[in-house]
Amino acid sequence: MTEAAKLRQDLMDKYQEKEVNVNLPSSVFLTISFVDSALNQEDADKRAARAQDAAKFVVKSLPSIGKIKTIWIMFVATERRWIVFHYHRSLNEYTFNNRGEPIATIRMNTSDDLLSPIVRFNPTSNETDISVTRVQLEGDLNHGIALVPHFTASGNAGDPNAKVMAPAFVVFDFASYADRRIFSSDSDLEIISDGQTDFSGKAHLLSPDLARASNNAQFLTAQIPFEQFAKMGAARSLKVKLNGRQFDVSPEAIAALRRMAAYAMPPVRRL
């Protein structure tokens, strides 16, 4: 039994679920889907509590957890048409690091300030996770594309007297909600600050292993060098081009990226 298959069975046994999909599309990203869970009929807080508990369970149970960077946990609803299952609705998605701590949560609700940096210090590891809830690039969470930027810095970013060192990379997680799948594979990603291309690379498609169905919600992830990320926050105009589609980032979102970067010193260059 593979590591993913064992984790799937353990999750089904622990939570008495009939269907749980577990996928390791690469050695550093893990996706878990609770399909037609009884919690789909409950409020979002109960699903959030389950996701948090499941993330902690994964951290304790998965032998290769040290290699994992991001854990995605989602709740999916299905409907039956002509004997074939079709996934048609993704209720909530939650992201965690490899310690089971929330990175950011993409939900079907709103917050007073989605662009306010979220700062979480872990005294055990002397690290701080910094993120914003989401940057909406297009539409809304029913039909659109959102970006969740986050990174882990060394030191206590909440202490103004502490020395906080930025990581080499900032993670950009993209979430797409549409009537059909937009991305078929890894996508070209380009970031343009004040008319200059600061980053050009790939956004990796995270595909939940839904063998019997199709799920229109899609997730991609990319690593942006911190130096380029800091330039994004300092820009007057910012554009994100994903899979050939260009999105203008609002001045408010640019300011949020700038506030995130300000929590950490740039990494030291080695000559």
Side-chain angles (χ1 to χ4, degrees):
M1 182 180 291
T2 65
E3 190 175 48
K6 184 179 185 306
L7 179 60
R8 174 180 179 272
Q9 189 60 55
D10 289 345
L11 288 167
M12 291 173 66
D13 292 343
K14 177 177 175 61
Y15 297 112
Q16 296 297 297
E17 294 282 1
K18 293 182 179 180
E19 186 62 48
V20 177
N21 288 311
V22 175
N23 189 37
L24 275 166
S26 72
S27 60
V28 295
F29 302 106
L30 170 67
T31 61
I32 298 170
S33 301
F34 289 99
V35 182
D36 285 337
S37 170
L39 290 181
N40 286 3
Q41 309 305 318
E42 303 290 344
D43 59 39
D45 288 342
K46 291 185 178 180
R47 291 191 290 273
R50 161 70 69 80
Q52 177 66 84
D53 188 71
K56 293 293 186 182
F57 179 76
V58 168
V59 170
K60 294 179 180 179
S61 305
L62 192 68
S64 63
I65 190 63
K67 299 178 181 179
I68 300 296
K69 291 185 177 179
T70 307
I71 303 169
W72 286 80
I73 298 179
M74 61 195 75
F75 291 83
V76 177
T78 71
E79 64 179 9
R80 183 188 291 269
R81 294 179 182 173
W82 303 103
I83 308 177
V84 180
F85 281 99
H86 294 270
Y87 292 89
H88 69 104
R89 190 160 54 104
S90 182
L91 300 181
N92 300 92
E93 290 78 34
Y94 307 88
T95 56
F96 303 87
N97 60 25
N98 64 3
R99 297 187 298 272
E101 300 165 341
I103 295 173
T105 301
I106 301 177
R107 306 187 187 188
M108 300 302 183
N109 61 10
T110 58
S111 173
D112 290 337
D113 188 1
L114 299 176
L115 296 175
S116 179
I118 301 169
V119 180
R120 296 187 179 92
F121 175 62
N122 185 323
T124 302
S125 61
N126 190 35
E127 293 178 328
T128 303
D129 292 324
I130 301 171
S131 65
V132 298
T133 300
R134 73 174 183 270
V135 174
Q136 197 69 43
L137 297 177
E138 179 184 73
D140 54 35
L141 284 181
N142 292 306
H143 195 288
I145 295 180
L147 163 66
V148 178
H150 59 92
F151 64 86
T152 300
S154 175
N156 184 2
D159 182 353
N161 298 316
K163 184 177 181 180
V164 180
M165 294 301 297
F169 297 95
V170 176
V171 177
F172 274 23
D173 288 330
F174 296 91
S176 169
Y177 300 88
D179 298 329
R180 59 180 178 82
R181 289 190 174 194
I182 296 175
F183 306 100
S184 59
S185 61
D186 293 354
S187 298
D188 292 330
L189 173 63
E190 187 176 356
I191 297 173
I192 304 166
S193 303
D194 293 331
Q196 300 293 321
T197 299
D198 279 333
F199 175 84
S200 181
K202 290 286 187 180
H204 179 70
L205 178 64
L206 304 178
S207 301
D209 186 15
L210 304 177
R212 297 178 300 170
S214 60
N215 181 13
N216 290 334
Q218 292 184 289
F219 308 94
L220 302 95
T221 189
Q223 291 186 328
I224 311 298
F226 189 89
E227 185 175 353
Q228 275 66 51
F229 176 73
K231 288 182 179 180
M232 293 171 60
R236 288 170 295 179
S237 69
L238 183 64
K239 301 179 186 298
V240 174
K241 186 180 290 186
L242 183 63
N243 200 34
R245 299 179 62 190
Q246 183 168 288
F247 307 97
D248 292 324
V249 181
S250 70
E252 294 79 10
I254 295 174
L257 302 182
R258 181 166 59 250
R259 293 196 299 271
M260 285 181 64
Y263 277 100
M265 298 171 58
V268 177
R269 285 186 175 182
R270 294 184 179 181
L271 301 178

PDB file of all heavy atoms in Angstrom, residues 40-75:
ATOM      1  N   ASN A  40     -20.849  18.574   5.059  1.00  0.00           N
ATOM      2  CA  ASN A  40     -21.309  19.480   4.001  1.00  0.00           C
ATOM      3  C   ASN A  40     -22.631  20.142   4.369  1.00  0.00           C
ATOM      4  O   ASN A  40     -22.953  21.228   3.882  1.00  0.00           O
ATOM      5  CB  ASN A  40     -21.476  18.723   2.681  1.00  0.00           C
ATOM      6  CG  ASN A  40     -20.143  18.380   2.043  1.00  0.00           C
ATOM      7  OD1 ASN A  40     -19.091  18.653   2.613  1.00  0.00           O
ATOM      8  ND2 ASN A  40     -20.188  17.777   0.865  1.00  0.00           N
ATOM      9  N   GLN A  41     -23.403  19.467   5.231  1.00  0.00           N
ATOM     10  CA  GLN A  41     -24.703  19.999   5.644  1.00  0.00           C
ATOM     11  C   GLN A  41     -24.601  20.867   6.894  1.00  0.00           C
ATOM     12  O   GLN A  41     -25.599  21.432   7.340  1.00  0.00           O
ATOM     13  CB  GLN A  41     -25.681  18.839   5.907  1.00  0.00           C
ATOM     14  CG  GLN A  41     -25.773  17.829   4.774  1.00  0.00           C
ATOM     15  CD  GLN A  41     -26.114  18.471   3.447  1.00  0.00           C
ATOM     16  OE1 GLN A  41     -26.971  19.357   3.388  1.00  0.00           O
ATOM     17  NE2 GLN A  41     -25.451  18.038   2.381  1.00  0.00           N
ATOM     18  N   GLU A  42     -23.393  20.950   7.456  1.00  0.00           N
ATOM     19  CA  GLU A  42     -23.180  21.755   8.657  1.00  0.00           C
ATOM     20  C   GLU A  42     -22.616  23.120   8.264  1.00  0.00           C
ATOM     21  O   GLU A  42     -22.380  23.400   7.086  1.00  0.00           O
ATOM     22  CB  GLU A  42     -22.220  21.030   9.602  1.00  0.00           C
ATOM     23  CG  GLU A  42     -22.673  19.633   9.998  1.00  0.00           C
ATOM     24  CD  GLU A  42     -23.885  19.646  10.915  1.00  0.00           C
ATOM     25  OE1 GLU A  42     -24.182  20.719  11.487  1.00  0.00           O
ATOM     26  OE2 GLU A  42     -24.526  18.591  11.062  1.00  0.00           O
ATOM     27  N   ASP A  43     -22.373  23.963   9.267  1.00  0.00           N
ATOM     28  CA  ASP A  43     -21.839  25.281   8.947  1.00  0.00           C
ATOM     29  C   ASP A  43     -20.335  25.202   8.690  1.00  0.00           C
ATOM     30  O   ASP A  43     -19.675  24.202   8.988  1.00  0.00           O
ATOM     31  CB  ASP A  43     -22.165  26.300  10.045  1.00  0.00           C
ATOM     32  CG  ASP A  43     -21.609  25.906  11.407  1.00  0.00           C
ATOM     33  OD1 ASP A  43     -20.487  25.377  11.462  1.00  0.00           O
ATOM     34  OD2 ASP A  43     -22.305  26.138  12.413  1.00  0.00           O
ATOM     35  N   ALA A  44     -19.794  26.275   8.121  1.00  0.00           N
ATOM     36  CA  ALA A  44     -18.391  26.292   7.701  1.00  0.00           C
ATOM     37  C   ALA A  44     -17.436  26.134   8.877  1.00  0.00           C
ATOM     38  O   ALA A  44     -16.334  25.602   8.708  1.00  0.00           O
ATOM     39  CB  ALA A  44     -18.091  27.589   6.947  1.00  0.00           C
ATOM     40  N   ASP A  45     -17.832  26.572  10.065  1.00  0.00           N
ATOM     41  CA  ASP A  45     -16.946  26.463  11.223  1.00  0.00           C
ATOM     42  C   ASP A  45     -16.634  25.004  11.548  1.00  0.00           C
ATOM     43  O   ASP A  45     -15.508  24.674  11.952  1.00  0.00           O
ATOM     44  CB  ASP A  45     -17.571  27.143  12.440  1.00  0.00           C
ATOM     45  CG  ASP A  45     -17.572  28.660  12.322  1.00  0.00           C
ATOM     46  OD1 ASP A  45     -16.798  29.182  11.492  1.00  0.00           O
ATOM     47  OD2 ASP A  45     -18.340  29.316  13.046  1.00  0.00           O
ATOM     48  N   LYS A  46     -17.611  24.130  11.378  1.00  0.00           N
ATOM     49  CA  LYS A  46     -17.377  22.709  11.658  1.00  0.00           C
ATOM     50  C   LYS A  46     -16.451  22.095  10.611  1.00  0.00           C
ATOM     51  O   LYS A  46     -15.626  21.236  10.927  1.00  0.00           O
ATOM     52  CB  LYS A  46     -18.706  21.960  11.721  1.00  0.00           C
ATOM     53  CG  LYS A  46     -19.545  22.323  12.939  1.00  0.00           C
ATOM     54  CD  LYS A  46     -20.795  21.468  13.044  1.00  0.00           C
ATOM     55  CE  LYS A  46     -21.586  21.827  14.294  1.00  0.00           C
ATOM     56  NZ  LYS A  46     -22.818  21.009  14.439  1.00  0.00           N
ATOM     57  N   ARG A  47     -16.577  22.537   9.364  1.00  0.00           N
ATOM     58  CA  ARG A  47     -15.660  22.041   8.342  1.00  0.00           C
ATOM     59  C   ARG A  47     -14.247  22.555   8.595  1.00  0.00           C
ATOM     60  O   ARG A  47     -13.264  21.839   8.386  1.00  0.00           O
ATOM     61  CB  ARG A  47     -16.157  22.444   6.952  1.00  0.00           C
ATOM     62  CG  ARG A  47     -17.423  21.715   6.536  1.00  0.00           C
ATOM     63  CD  ARG A  47     -17.751  21.932   5.070  1.00  0.00           C
ATOM     64  NE  ARG A  47     -18.175  23.289   4.771  1.00  0.00           N
ATOM     65  CZ  ARG A  47     -19.422  23.721   4.863  1.00  0.00           C
ATOM     66  NH1 ARG A  47     -20.379  22.900   5.279  1.00  0.00           N
ATOM     67  NH2 ARG A  47     -19.734  24.963   4.548  1.00  0.00           N
ATOM     68  N   ALA A  48     -14.147  23.794   9.049  1.00  0.00           N
ATOM     69  CA  ALA A  48     -12.830  24.351   9.364  1.00  0.00           C
ATOM     70  C   ALA A  48     -12.177  23.580  10.510  1.00  0.00           C
ATOM     71  O   ALA A  48     -10.968  23.311  10.485  1.00  0.00           O
ATOM     72  CB  ALA A  48     -12.964  25.827   9.724  1.00  0.00           C
ATOM     73  N   ALA A  49     -12.977  23.220  11.519  1.00  0.00           N
ATOM     74  CA  ALA A  49     -12.443  22.456  12.647  1.00  0.00           C
ATOM     75  C   ALA A  49     -11.977  21.075  12.191  1.00  0.00           C
ATOM     76  O   ALA A  49     -10.929  20.584  12.628  1.00  0.00           O
ATOM     77  CB  ALA A  49     -13.499  22.335  13.744  1.00  0.00           C
ATOM     78  N   ARG A  50     -12.748  20.440  11.297  1.00  0.00           N
ATOM     79  CA  ARG A  50     -12.347  19.142  10.761  1.00  0.00           C
ATOM     80  C   ARG A  50     -11.044  19.262   9.975  1.00  0.00           C
ATOM     81  O   ARG A  50     -10.143  18.421  10.100  1.00  0.00           O
ATOM     82  CB  ARG A  50     -13.450  18.595   9.860  1.00  0.00           C
ATOM     83  CG  ARG A  50     -12.995  17.495   8.889  1.00  0.00           C
ATOM     84  CD  ARG A  50     -12.660  16.181   9.550  1.00  0.00           C
ATOM     85  NE  ARG A  50     -13.855  15.570  10.068  1.00  0.00           N
ATOM     86  CZ  ARG A  50     -14.731  14.876   9.314  1.00  0.00           C
ATOM     87  NH1 ARG A  50     -14.513  14.719   8.022  1.00  0.00           N
ATOM     88  NH2 ARG A  50     -15.806  14.348   9.867  1.00  0.00           N
ATOM     89  N   ALA A  51     -10.954  20.299   9.144  1.00  0.00           N
ATOM     90  CA  ALA A  51      -9.746  20.485   8.343  1.00  0.00           C
ATOM     91  C   ALA A  51      -8.528  20.657   9.240  1.00  0.00           C
ATOM     92  O   ALA A  51      -7.467  20.078   8.989  1.00  0.00           O
ATOM     93  CB  ALA A  51      -9.912  21.693   7.419  1.00  0.00           C
ATOM     94  N   GLN A  52      -8.677  21.449  10.300  1.00  0.00           N
ATOM     95  CA  GLN A  52      -7.564  21.651  11.227  1.00  0.00           C
ATOM     96  C   GLN A  52      -7.167  20.343  11.904  1.00  0.00           C
ATOM     97  O   GLN A  52      -5.981  20.008  12.011  1.00  0.00           O
ATOM     98  CB  GLN A  52      -7.945  22.691  12.277  1.00  0.00           C
ATOM     99  CG  GLN A  52      -6.887  22.925  13.342  1.00  0.00           C
ATOM    100  CD  GLN A  52      -5.630  23.554  12.785  1.00  0.00           C
ATOM    101  OE1 GLN A  52      -5.552  24.762  12.631  1.00  0.00           O
ATOM    102  NE2 GLN A  52      -4.628  22.735  12.464  1.00  0.00           N
ATOM    103  N   ASP A  53      -8.161  19.583  12.353  1.00  0.00           N
ATOM    104  CA  ASP A  53      -7.884  18.313  13.013  1.00  0.00           C
ATOM    105  C   ASP A  53      -7.231  17.329  12.043  1.00  0.00           C
ATOM    106  O   ASP A  53      -6.288  16.613  12.405  1.00  0.00           O
ATOM    107  CB  ASP A  53      -9.179  17.726  13.570  1.00  0.00           C
ATOM    108  CG  ASP A  53      -8.926  16.505  14.446  1.00  0.00           C
ATOM    109  OD1 ASP A  53      -8.396  16.683  15.560  1.00  0.00           O
ATOM    110  OD2 ASP A  53      -9.243  15.382  14.004  1.00  0.00           O
ATOM    111  N   ALA A  54      -7.720  17.304  10.806  1.00  0.00           N
ATOM    112  CA  ALA A  54      -7.154  16.400   9.807  1.00  0.00           C
ATOM    113  C   ALA A  54      -5.713  16.774   9.487  1.00  0.00           C
ATOM    114  O   ALA A  54      -4.858  15.898   9.294  1.00  0.00           O
ATOM    115  CB  ALA A  54      -8.005  16.423   8.539  1.00  0.00           C
ATOM    116  N   ALA A  55      -5.428  18.071   9.431  1.00  0.00           N
ATOM    117  CA  ALA A  55      -4.061  18.510   9.154  1.00  0.00           C
ATOM    118  C   ALA A  55      -3.114  18.043  10.260  1.00  0.00           C
ATOM    119  O   ALA A  55      -2.001  17.569   9.991  1.00  0.00           O
ATOM    120  CB  ALA A  55      -4.017  20.029   9.016  1.00  0.00           C
ATOM    121  N   LYS A  56      -3.545  18.160  11.508  1.00  0.00           N
ATOM    122  CA  LYS A  56      -2.729  17.695  12.624  1.00  0.00           C
ATOM    123  C   LYS A  56      -2.532  16.176  12.554  1.00  0.00           C
ATOM    124  O   LYS A  56      -1.445  15.660  12.855  1.00  0.00           O
ATOM    125  CB  LYS A  56      -3.393  18.080  13.952  1.00  0.00           C
ATOM    126  CG  LYS A  56      -3.435  19.577  14.222  1.00  0.00           C
ATOM    127  CD  LYS A  56      -2.040  20.146  14.440  1.00  0.00           C
ATOM    128  CE  LYS A  56      -2.107  21.612  14.865  1.00  0.00           C
ATOM    129  NZ  LYS A  56      -0.738  22.197  15.036  1.00  0.00           N
ATOM    130  N   PHE A  57      -3.578  15.475  12.149  1.00  0.00           N
ATOM    131  CA  PHE A  57      -3.493  14.019  12.011  1.00  0.00           C
ATOM    132  C   PHE A  57      -2.492  13.644  10.920  1.00  0.00           C
ATOM    133  O   PHE A  57      -1.692  12.714  11.080  1.00  0.00           O
ATOM    134  CB  PHE A  57      -4.873  13.450  11.682  1.00  0.00           C
ATOM    135  CG  PHE A  57      -4.886  11.962  11.489  1.00  0.00           C
ATOM    136  CD1 PHE A  57      -4.817  11.105  12.575  1.00  0.00           C
ATOM    137  CD2 PHE A  57      -4.962  11.423  10.211  1.00  0.00           C
ATOM    138  CE1 PHE A  57      -4.815   9.725  12.391  1.00  0.00           C
ATOM    139  CE2 PHE A  57      -4.967  10.048  10.019  1.00  0.00           C
ATOM    140  CZ  PHE A  57      -4.892   9.195  11.118  1.00  0.00           C
ATOM    141  N   VAL A  58      -2.517  14.375   9.814  1.00  0.00           N
ATOM    142  CA  VAL A  58      -1.586  14.120   8.715  1.00  0.00           C
ATOM    143  C   VAL A  58      -0.148  14.323   9.180  1.00  0.00           C
ATOM    144  O   VAL A  58       0.745  13.528   8.866  1.00  0.00           O
ATOM    145  CB  VAL A  58      -1.903  15.036   7.520  1.00  0.00           C
ATOM    146  CG1 VAL A  58      -0.781  14.987   6.486  1.00  0.00           C
ATOM    147  CG2 VAL A  58      -3.218  14.628   6.874  1.00  0.00           C
ATOM    148  N   VAL A  59       0.080  15.389   9.934  1.00  0.00           N
ATOM    149  CA  VAL A  59       1.438  15.681  10.418  1.00  0.00           C
ATOM    150  C   VAL A  59       1.973  14.522  11.255  1.00  0.00           C
ATOM    151  O   VAL A  59       3.147  14.152  11.158  1.00  0.00           O
ATOM    152  CB  VAL A  59       1.434  16.991  11.237  1.00  0.00           C
ATOM    153  CG1 VAL A  59       2.764  17.187  11.957  1.00  0.00           C
ATOM    154  CG2 VAL A  59       1.149  18.178  10.320  1.00  0.00           C
ATOM    155  N   LYS A  60       1.106  13.915  12.066  1.00  0.00           N
ATOM    156  CA  LYS A  60       1.533  12.807  12.923  1.00  0.00           C
ATOM    157  C   LYS A  60       1.638  11.486  12.164  1.00  0.00           C
ATOM    158  O   LYS A  60       2.423  10.611  12.547  1.00  0.00           O
ATOM    159  CB  LYS A  60       0.543  12.640  14.079  1.00  0.00           C
ATOM    160  CG  LYS A  60       0.519  13.801  15.052  1.00  0.00           C
ATOM    161  CD  LYS A  60      -0.508  13.563  16.150  1.00  0.00           C
ATOM    162  CE  LYS A  60      -0.550  14.724  17.132  1.00  0.00           C
ATOM    163  NZ  LYS A  60      -1.573  14.514  18.189  1.00  0.00           N
ATOM    164  N   SER A  61       0.860  11.345  11.081  1.00  0.00           N
ATOM    165  CA  SER A  61       0.731  10.041  10.434  1.00  0.00           C
ATOM    166  C   SER A  61       1.578   9.857   9.185  1.00  0.00           C
ATOM    167  O   SER A  61       1.934   8.722   8.848  1.00  0.00           O
ATOM    168  CB  SER A  61      -0.742   9.797  10.059  1.00  0.00           C
ATOM    169  OG  SER A  61      -1.581   9.931  11.178  1.00  0.00           O
ATOM    170  N   LEU A  62       1.884  10.940   8.471  1.00  0.00           N
ATOM    171  CA  LEU A  62       2.559  10.819   7.180  1.00  0.00           C
ATOM    172  C   LEU A  62       4.073  10.766   7.375  1.00  0.00           C
ATOM    173  O   LEU A  62       4.672  11.734   7.841  1.00  0.00           O
ATOM    174  CB  LEU A  62       2.183  11.998   6.282  1.00  0.00           C
ATOM    175  CG  LEU A  62       2.560  11.879   4.807  1.00  0.00           C
ATOM    176  CD1 LEU A  62       1.730  10.792   4.127  1.00  0.00           C
ATOM    177  CD2 LEU A  62       2.359  13.220   4.095  1.00  0.00           C
ATOM    178  N   PRO A  63       4.716   9.665   7.017  1.00  0.00           N
ATOM    179  CA  PRO A  63       6.168   9.547   7.225  1.00  0.00           C
ATOM    180  C   PRO A  63       6.981  10.625   6.514  1.00  0.00           C
ATOM    181  O   PRO A  63       8.007  11.069   7.033  1.00  0.00           O
ATOM    182  CB  PRO A  63       6.481   8.153   6.661  1.00  0.00           C
ATOM    183  CG  PRO A  63       5.200   7.394   6.779  1.00  0.00           C
ATOM    184  CD  PRO A  63       4.127   8.405   6.518  1.00  0.00           C
ATOM    185  N   SER A  64       6.529  11.054   5.341  1.00  0.00           N
ATOM    186  CA  SER A  64       7.306  12.024   4.556  1.00  0.00           C
ATOM    187  C   SER A  64       6.866  13.463   4.803  1.00  0.00           C
ATOM    188  O   SER A  64       7.121  14.338   3.978  1.00  0.00           O
ATOM    189  CB  SER A  64       7.173  11.707   3.064  1.00  0.00           C
ATOM    190  OG  SER A  64       5.824  11.838   2.636  1.00  0.00           O
ATOM    191  N   ILE A  65       6.225  13.736   5.942  1.00  0.00           N
ATOM    192  CA  ILE A  65       5.675  15.065   6.194  1.00  0.00           C
ATOM    193  C   ILE A  65       6.752  16.146   6.150  1.00  0.00           C
ATOM    194  O   ILE A  65       6.483  17.298   5.795  1.00  0.00           O
ATOM    195  CB  ILE A  65       4.930  15.105   7.555  1.00  0.00           C
ATOM    196  CG1 ILE A  65       4.150  16.413   7.706  1.00  0.00           C
ATOM    197  CG2 ILE A  65       5.897  14.884   8.704  1.00  0.00           C
ATOM    198  CD1 ILE A  65       3.066  16.609   6.688  1.00  0.00           C
ATOM    199  N   GLY A  66       7.982  15.795   6.480  1.00  0.00           N
ATOM    200  CA  GLY A  66       9.055  16.785   6.468  1.00  0.00           C
ATOM    201  C   GLY A  66       9.323  17.367   5.096  1.00  0.00           C
ATOM    202  O   GLY A  66       9.833  18.484   4.974  1.00  0.00           O
ATOM    203  N   LYS A  67       8.970  16.627   4.044  1.00  0.00           N
ATOM    204  CA  LYS A  67       9.185  17.103   2.676  1.00  0.00           C
ATOM    205  C   LYS A  67       8.013  17.939   2.163  1.00  0.00           C
ATOM    206  O   LYS A  67       8.143  18.653   1.173  1.00  0.00           O
ATOM    207  CB  LYS A  67       9.391  15.911   1.734  1.00  0.00           C
ATOM    208  CG  LYS A  67      10.598  15.053   2.071  1.00  0.00           C
ATOM    209  CD  LYS A  67      10.693  13.878   1.104  1.00  0.00           C
ATOM    210  CE  LYS A  67      11.873  12.983   1.436  1.00  0.00           C
ATOM    211  NZ  LYS A  67      11.947  11.817   0.509  1.00  0.00           N
ATOM    212  N   ILE A  68       6.865  17.824   2.829  1.00  0.00           N
ATOM    213  CA  ILE A  68       5.663  18.518   2.375  1.00  0.00           C
ATOM    214  C   ILE A  68       5.750  20.004   2.724  1.00  0.00           C
ATOM    215  O   ILE A  68       6.118  20.378   3.832  1.00  0.00           O
ATOM    216  CB  ILE A  68       4.400  17.911   3.022  1.00  0.00           C
ATOM    217  CG1 ILE A  68       4.274  16.432   2.654  1.00  0.00           C
ATOM    218  CG2 ILE A  68       3.153  18.671   2.608  1.00  0.00           C
ATOM    219  CD1 ILE A  68       4.073  16.175   1.186  1.00  0.00           C
ATOM    220  N   LYS A  69       5.400  20.860   1.761  1.00  0.00           N
ATOM    221  CA  LYS A  69       5.375  22.297   2.010  1.00  0.00           C
ATOM    222  C   LYS A  69       3.958  22.797   2.276  1.00  0.00           C
ATOM    223  O   LYS A  69       3.747  23.667   3.116  1.00  0.00           O
ATOM    224  CB  LYS A  69       5.970  23.051   0.817  1.00  0.00           C
ATOM    225  CG  LYS A  69       7.467  22.850   0.648  1.00  0.00           C
ATOM    226  CD  LYS A  69       8.005  23.714  -0.470  1.00  0.00           C
ATOM    227  CE  LYS A  69       9.514  23.560  -0.598  1.00  0.00           C
ATOM    228  NZ  LYS A  69      10.054  24.393  -1.706  1.00  0.00           N
ATOM    229  N   THR A  70       2.992  22.260   1.541  1.00  0.00           N
ATOM    230  CA  THR A  70       1.617  22.742   1.663  1.00  0.00           C
ATOM    231  C   THR A  70       0.652  21.569   1.692  1.00  0.00           C
ATOM    232  O   THR A  70       0.764  20.642   0.890  1.00  0.00           O
ATOM    233  CB  THR A  70       1.242  23.667   0.488  1.00  0.00           C
ATOM    234  OG1 THR A  70       2.209  24.708   0.370  1.00  0.00           O
ATOM    235  CG2 THR A  70      -0.133  24.291   0.707  1.00  0.00           C
ATOM    236  N   ILE A  71      -0.297  21.619   2.631  1.00  0.00           N
ATOM    237  CA  ILE A  71      -1.380  20.638   2.711  1.00  0.00           C
ATOM    238  C   ILE A  71      -2.677  21.356   2.349  1.00  0.00           C
ATOM    239  O   ILE A  71      -3.051  22.337   2.997  1.00  0.00           O
ATOM    240  CB  ILE A  71      -1.506  20.049   4.132  1.00  0.00           C
ATOM    241  CG1 ILE A  71      -0.186  19.404   4.577  1.00  0.00           C
ATOM    242  CG2 ILE A  71      -2.644  19.038   4.200  1.00  0.00           C
ATOM    243  CD1 ILE A  71      -0.165  19.039   6.057  1.00  0.00           C
ATOM    244  N   TRP A  72      -3.343  20.888   1.293  1.00  0.00           N
ATOM    245  CA  TRP A  72      -4.642  21.439   0.902  1.00  0.00           C
ATOM    246  C   TRP A  72      -5.720  20.458   1.356  1.00  0.00           C
ATOM    247  O   TRP A  72      -5.659  19.267   1.044  1.00  0.00           O
ATOM    248  CB  TRP A  72      -4.734  21.592  -0.615  1.00  0.00           C
ATOM    249  CG  TRP A  72      -3.954  22.728  -1.186  1.00  0.00           C
ATOM    250  CD1 TRP A  72      -2.621  22.760  -1.453  1.00  0.00           C
ATOM    251  CD2 TRP A  72      -4.462  24.005  -1.578  1.00  0.00           C
ATOM    252  NE1 TRP A  72      -2.266  23.979  -1.982  1.00  0.00           N
ATOM    253  CE2 TRP A  72      -3.370  24.757  -2.076  1.00  0.00           C
ATOM    254  CE3 TRP A  72      -5.732  24.579  -1.561  1.00  0.00           C
ATOM    255  CZ2 TRP A  72      -3.522  26.052  -2.545  1.00  0.00           C
ATOM    256  CZ3 TRP A  72      -5.881  25.871  -2.036  1.00  0.00           C
ATOM    257  CH2 TRP A  72      -4.782  26.595  -2.520  1.00  0.00           C
ATOM    258  N   ILE A  73      -6.713  20.963   2.079  1.00  0.00           N
ATOM    259  CA  ILE A  73      -7.842  20.129   2.503  1.00  0.00           C
ATOM    260  C   ILE A  73      -9.121  20.792   2.016  1.00  0.00           C
ATOM    261  O   ILE A  73      -9.336  21.982   2.254  1.00  0.00           O
ATOM    262  CB  ILE A  73      -7.865  19.947   4.028  1.00  0.00           C
ATOM    263  CG1 ILE A  73      -6.589  19.218   4.484  1.00  0.00           C
ATOM    264  CG2 ILE A  73      -9.109  19.171   4.462  1.00  0.00           C
ATOM    265  CD1 ILE A  73      -6.496  18.998   5.978  1.00  0.00           C
ATOM    266  N   MET A  74      -9.956  20.027   1.320  1.00  0.00           N
ATOM    267  CA  MET A  74     -11.165  20.604   0.743  1.00  0.00           C
ATOM    268  C   MET A  74     -12.376  19.708   0.975  1.00  0.00           C
ATOM    269  O   MET A  74     -12.240  18.502   1.215  1.00  0.00           O
ATOM    270  CB  MET A  74     -10.971  20.862  -0.751  1.00  0.00           C
ATOM    271  CG  MET A  74     -10.673  19.631  -1.576  1.00  0.00           C
ATOM    272  SD  MET A  74     -10.038  20.042  -3.226  1.00  0.00           S
ATOM    273  CE  MET A  74      -8.363  20.553  -2.802  1.00  0.00           C
ATOM    274  N   PHE A  75     -13.553  20.324   0.903  1.00  0.00           N
ATOM    275  CA  PHE A  75     -14.823  19.614   1.011  1.00  0.00           C
ATOM    276  C   PHE A  75     -15.558  19.761  -0.313  1.00  0.00           C
ATOM    277  O   PHE A  75     -15.737  20.877  -0.805  1.00  0.00           O
ATOM    278  CB  PHE A  75     -15.663  20.176   2.162  1.00  0.00           C
ATOM    279  CG  PHE A  75     -15.096  19.867   3.512  1.00  0.00           C
ATOM    280  CD1 PHE A  75     -14.092  20.658   4.059  1.00  0.00           C
ATOM    281  CD2 PHE A  75     -15.547  18.770   4.230  1.00  0.00           C
ATOM    282  CE1 PHE A  75     -13.551  20.370   5.299  1.00  0.00           C
ATOM    283  CE2 PHE A  75     -15.017  18.474   5.475  1.00  0.00           C
ATOM    284  CZ  PHE A  75     -14.015  19.271   6.006  1.00  0.00           C
TER     285      PHE A  75
END
